C-alpha cells in the first residue's frame, strides 16, 4: 500500500497573511467546513493571541469541525500557548503549533539569542504546550538556511520534550529541490529519535519552487505537507495544496504516496477561497485556473476531441470541473467548430459548414474569442433559406464631428454583376443605407432600428434588427458583426432581400394568373 501523506492546510493562518487578504469569523468558519469536506488532515485555524478575531475564529472552528485536527499557532511564549489552548479547548483533535527560528540570521538579528538559549526556550515551550494537548508541532523557522547540525540538535531536544510533529520550513523560499530534499534526508539520518515524530515540510514560493521542494521533502522521508488553497500566503505564497495533491495522484509512479483529499472538491474550494479573500486565481494557474482545461489551438482541439489524453494528463472531473473547454479563436479548426455546433444542437451539411467556417474565421480575426451567441448568429445567417438576390460585398465609411458622413458599398446581384456606389447621410448608418438604395433601388421606409451586444467585451458582436415597410407589408432584417455599421448594412440587406423575394413571388403569381 502507498504511504500516507498528511495534508496540513494553513489557508486560514498563513494564507490570510497574503497582502490584501482579510477574512472575518463567518468566512473562516465556512472555509473550514469546506476544508473538512475536502478531506485535509489538519486545519491551522489561526494565531489565537494575535487578535480577538483570530481567537474567536479558532474557537468557533474547534466547536464546529470535528473531522480534522484543529491547530493554533503560537510563538515559543507561555502566554501565547495558554491563549491557544483556551481557543482549542472544545476541539475534538487539538494541536498547538509552536517554535522558534534556527538560522544564525534569525538568531542574531530577529531573536537576539544564542543557539543554546533558543533551544532551551523551544524545549520549555513544547513542555508547556504538552500540559494542554497531546499533539504538539514544533516549527524551526528558516531551516533552509540553518546550520544542519544545530538543526538536528534542536529537533532531538524538542522531540524528547514531547513534540510529535517536526516542521522544517523553507521560510524564505531559498532552497532548491535538491537542497531541500537533502536537508530532510540529513535530518532523517542524523536525529536519533526522529522515528518518534512526523516530519513536516512547509515551503514558500519565492523562487517558484514550493511545490517541487515539498515533493522532494516527502521523497526523502517527510510525511506531512503544509500548504494553502491556491498557494496564497506571505510574499509569493506557499505550497499550493491542489498542485501538490494532484502531482501525487497523477504521478504515482514517481511519488508512491496517497492523501485523504477528495480531489473532486478542489475546484469548489479554490473558488470559495478566491471569493472570500478577494485574491483572484490567475487564468493559467495549474489545476484550478480558468485555462487549466481550456484549449484554443486547432491542433490541440482536434487531438482532445479525438482522445482527451492527447493533451490532458488530468481528467477535469477529478478536480471538480465538469468538462474541458474548447475555446474558439482564430486558431481553432473546422473540427472544433463542428463539435461546438453539434453541442449547440446544429446539424449542418458540408456546404453550410464551409460558409459558416469562412465567416467564423473573418469574425475570429477581429475578436479574441468566439462565444456561443456569436455562433448562433453565424448559423442563422448562413443557413437561412431566404433567396439572396443581392449580396453585400464591401462597406466603407468616413465620419467624425468635422466630417460629412459618407459611405461606399459594393453589392453583387444574382447574375454575378458587382455594383459600387457612394452617398452621404446624417450619420454613418444613414449614409450606408442611402448608398445601398442607390444600387438596389427598391422604395421602402425604415420604421424600426435596434442594436444590442450579443456577447460581453469591447469586441462584442453587434446584433442589429431593423424593420422596413413598403405599402402595407413589413419586412424584418437582422445582421451581426463586430462592426456596428457593417452589422447595420447586413440587416438592411437581409430585409431588402425579403422585400425583393416577396415582390418576385407576387410578380410570378400574377404572370401565371394572366397566362394560365
Amino acid at each position: 500500500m502507498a504511504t500516507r501523506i498528511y495534508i496540513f492546510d494553513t489557508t486560514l493562518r498563513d494564507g490570510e497573511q497574503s497582502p490584501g487578504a482579510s477574512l472575518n469569523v463567518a468566512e473562516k468558519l465556512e472555509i473550514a467546513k469546506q476544508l473538512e469536506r475536502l478531506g485535509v488532515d489538519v486545519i491551522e485555524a489561526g494565531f489565537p493571541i494575535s487578535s480577538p478575531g483570530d481567537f474567536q475564529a479558532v474557537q468557533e472552528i474547534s466547536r464546529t469541525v470535528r473531522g480534522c485536527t484543529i491547530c493554533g499557532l503560537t510563538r515559543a511564549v507561555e502566554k501565547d500557548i495558554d491563549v491557544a489552548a483556551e481557543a482549542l479547548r472544545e476541539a475534538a483533535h487539538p494541536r498547538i503549533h509552536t517554535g522558534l527560528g534556527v538560522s544564525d540570521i534569525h538568531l542574531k538579528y530577529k531573536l537576539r539569542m544564542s543557539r543554546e538559549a533558543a533551544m532551551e526556550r523551544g524545549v520549555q515551550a513544547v513542555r508547556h504546550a504538552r500540559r494542554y494537548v497531546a499533539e504538539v508541532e514544533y516549527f524551526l523557522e528558516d531551516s533552509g538556511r540553518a546550520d544542519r547540525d544545530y538543526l538536528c540538535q534542536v529537533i532531538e531536544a524538542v522531540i524528547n520534550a514531547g513534540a510529535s510533529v517536526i516542521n522544517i520550513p523553507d521560510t524564505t523560499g531559498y532552497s532548491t529541490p535538491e537542497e531541500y530534499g537533502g536537508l530532510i534526508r540529513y535530518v532523517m539520518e542524523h536525529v536519533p529519535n526522529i522515528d518518534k515524530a512526523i516530519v513536516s515540510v512547509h515551503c514558500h514560493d519565492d523562487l517558484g519552487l514550493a511545490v517541487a521542494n515539498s515533493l522532494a521533502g516527502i521523497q526523502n522521508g517527510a510525511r506531512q505537507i503544509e500548504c494553502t488553497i491556491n498557494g496564497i500566503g506571505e510574499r509569493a505564497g506557499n505550497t499550493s495544496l491542489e498542485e501538490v495533491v494532484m502531482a501525487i495522484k497523477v504521478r504515482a509512479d514517481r511519488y508512491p504516496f496517497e492523501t485523504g483529499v477528495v480531489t473532486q472538491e478542489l475546484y469548489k474550494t479554490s473558488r470559495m477561497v478566491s471569493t472570500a479573500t478577494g485574491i483572484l486565481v490567475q487564468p493559467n494557474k495549474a489545476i484550478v485556473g480558468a485555462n487549466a482545461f481550456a484549449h484554443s489551438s486547432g491542433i490541440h482541439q482536434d487531438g482532445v476531441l479525438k482522445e482527451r489524453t492527447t493533451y490532458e494528463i488530468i481528467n477535469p472531473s477529478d478536480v471538480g470541473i465538469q468538462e474541458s473547454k474548447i475555446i474558439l479563436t482564430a486558431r481553432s479548426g473546422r473540427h472544433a467548430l463542428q463539435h461546438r455546433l453539434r453541442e449547440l444542437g446544429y446539424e449542418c451539411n458540408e456546404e453550410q459548414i464551409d460558409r459558416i467556417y469562412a465567416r467564423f474565421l473573418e469574425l475570429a480575426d477581429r475578436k479574441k474569442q468566439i462565444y456561443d451567441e456569436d455562433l448562433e448568429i453565424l448559423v442563422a445567417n448562413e443557413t437561412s433559406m431566404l433567396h439572396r438576390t443581392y449580396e453585400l460585398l464591401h462597406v466603407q465609411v468616413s465620419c467624425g464631428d468635422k466630417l460629412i458622413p459618407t459611405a461606399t458599398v459594393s453589392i453583387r446581384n444574382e447574375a454575378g454583376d458587382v455594383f459600387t456606389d457612394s452617398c452621404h447621410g446624417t450619420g454613418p448608418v444613414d449614409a450606408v443605407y442611402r448608398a445601398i438604395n442607390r444600387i438596389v433601388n427598391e422604395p421602402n421606409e425604415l420604421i424600426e432600428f435596434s442594436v444590442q451586444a450579443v456577447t460581453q467585451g469591447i469586441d462584442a458582436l453587434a446584433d442589429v434588427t431593423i424593420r422596413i415597410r413598403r405599402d402595407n407589408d413589413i419586412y424584418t432584417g437582422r445582421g451581426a458583426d463586430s462592426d456596428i455599421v457593417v452589422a447595420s448594412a447586413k440587416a438592411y440587406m437581409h430585409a431588402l432581400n425579403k422585400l425583393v423575394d416577396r415582390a418576385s413571388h407576387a410578380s410570378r403569381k400574377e404572370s401565371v394568373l394572366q397566362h394560365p
Side-chain angles (χ1 to χ4, degrees), residues 77 107 224 293 479 493:
V77 176
L107 291 171
Q224 177 177 278
F293 298 95
M493 291 302 302

Side-chain angles (χ1 to χ4, degrees), residues 114-180:
S114 67
R115 288 183 173 184
E116 294 73 22
M119 182 160 55
E120 180 57 29
R121 179 182 287 188
V123 167
Q124 293 302 320
V126 171
R127 287 175 179 165
H128 190 67
R130 279 299 304 269
R131 297 175 186 174
Y132 295 110
V133 295
E135 284 188 25
V136 175
E137 178 171 344
Y138 191 83
F139 66 81
L140 301 109
E141 192 173 15
D142 205 24
S143 291
R145 296 188 296 176
D147 176 78
R148 290 188 174 185
D149 291 331
Y150 173 66
L151 175 67
C152 290
Q153 291 172 21
V154 177
I155 292 173
E156 181 180 3
V158 295
I159 290 175
N160 283 335
S164 55
V165 182
I166 298 298
N167 177 7
I168 304 176
D170 181 30
T171 305
T172 59
Y174 182 74
S175 300
T176 66
E178 293 79 10
E179 289 173 327
Y180 191 68

Side-chain angles (χ1 to χ4, degrees), residues 180-192:
Y180 191 68
L183 175 62
I184 300 300
R185 184 169 62 253
Y186 191 88
V187 167
M188 301 301 295
E189 293 174 350
H190 291 81
V191 176

Side-chain angles (χ1 to χ4, degrees), residues 5-9 199-202 214-215 218 223-227 239 244 248:
I5 299 297
Y6 299 100
I7 299 299
F8 177 111
D9 183 273
V199 173
S200 182
V201 293
H202 180 114
S214 296
L215 293 171
I218 62 174
R223 292 297 174 258
Q224 177 177 278
I225 298 175
E226 305 193 5
C227 43
T239 298
V244 76
I248 292 170

Side-chain angles (χ1 to χ4, degrees), residues 190-222:
H190 291 81
V191 176
N193 57 355
I194 197 65
D195 60 309
K196 296 179 180 177
I198 293 171
V199 173
S200 182
V201 293
H202 180 114
C203 300
H204 281 259
D205 209 33
D206 298 70
L207 293 178
L209 297 172
V211 170
N213 285 343
S214 296
L215 293 171
I218 62 174
Q219 284 183 309
N220 285 278

